[in-house]
Amino acid sequence: MSTNQAKLQYLAGLISSCQKCPLFKAATHPVPGHGNPNADVVLVGEAPGYFEDQQGLPFVGNSGKLLNKLLDSIRLSRDEVFVANIIKHRPPNNRSPLPSEILSCAPYLKAQLSVIKPKYIITLGRFALNYFFPADSISRVHGQVKNIDQIGQKLTIIPVYHPSAGLRNGSMLKALQQDFLSIGKLLGKI
Ligand code: SF4
């Protein structure tokens, strides 16, 4: 087992016994995150939904299927990347996470990023964007390459719409597809 894998498993253990906010009470499984512990690319979403809560894995429902297609379009597989959410236990009825819940849970994502040290972070949706850039609006900055100093290193962040928005709205799906193509070019994948 690689060092990073062991560190991420340790964090997953902390998450599975966490009671820092009430969300653990109604959840079936914690969803700490999944993928390559040495990934160059980390994708960050909002919170687990129904299927994620059932399986303990991120992005395994319809949004996950669309995410896989978007990754395929730039020749990236789920095995190459690491996928996580800001919130590790499912909010009841998929409601938006509360600011207090984000505050409680955010240190876990920060710790995961400190272990993985990715070159690129793709944020999915407004909550993930606002985790890094609280004042930005996803409709204004999606697809832009943004830099930030965090976790003791320079991070390159590309915000895109959440895949669930792409499932609901044709123009957002188009924007997602275009933004992923730009990401593919940035990564030298296409
Ligand atoms: S959602 Fe996050 S902060 Fe809340 S109990 Fe789960 S791991 Fe802890």
Side-chain angles (χ1 to χ4, degrees), residues 15-58:
I15 289 164
S16 72
S17 57
C18 180
Q19 300 189 356
K20 284 202 291 173
C21 84
L23 290 179
F24 76 94
K25 290 182 192 166
T28 312
H29 294 107
V31 185
H34 186 75
N36 184 341
N38 302 296
D40 283 342
V41 179
V42 169
L43 293 104
V44 176
E46 178 183 320
Y50 175 81
F51 292 104
E52 290 75 18
D53 175 64
Q54 292 293 308
Q55 297 184 36
L57 291 168

Side-chain angles (χ1 to χ4, degrees), residues 14-16 18-24 86-90 101 104-106 108:
L14 294 182
I15 289 164
S16 72
C18 180
Q19 300 189 356
K20 284 202 291 173
C21 84
L23 290 179
F24 76 94
I86 302 169
I87 295 285
K88 309 302 191 188
H89 284 102
R90 182 191 180 212
E101 293 161 353
S104 297
C105 212
Y108 292 121

Side-chain angles (χ1 to χ4, degrees), residues 36-132:
N36 184 341
N38 302 296
D40 283 342
V41 179
V42 169
L43 293 104
V44 176
E46 178 183 320
Y50 175 81
F51 292 104
E52 290 75 18
D53 175 64
Q54 292 293 308
Q55 297 184 36
L57 291 168
F59 284 89
V60 289
N62 287 336
S63 291
K65 285 182 190 143
L66 175 56
L67 181 63
N68 293 349
K69 278 188 194 162
L70 291 164
L71 288 169
D72 275 353
S73 75
I74 58 169
R75 297 186 196 168
L76 267 181
S77 74
R78 285 286 287 261
D79 293 340
E80 289 174 85
V81 301
F82 190 87
V83 182
N85 288 301
I86 302 169
I87 295 285
K88 309 302 191 188
H89 284 102
R90 182 191 180 212
N93 303 315
N94 291 353
R95 67 157 168 76
S96 295
L98 303 173
S100 60
E101 293 161 353
I102 293 174
L103 205 65
S104 297
C105 212
Y108 292 121
L109 177 61
K110 190 175 178 188
Q112 290 172 317
L113 294 175
S114 299
V115 171
I116 301 169
K117 295 188 173 48
K119 289 187 186 146
Y120 302 97
I121 296 174
I122 302 171
T123 60
L124 306 165
R126 75 181 166 100
F127 282 95
L129 166 67
N130 293 151
Y131 174 87
F132 296 99

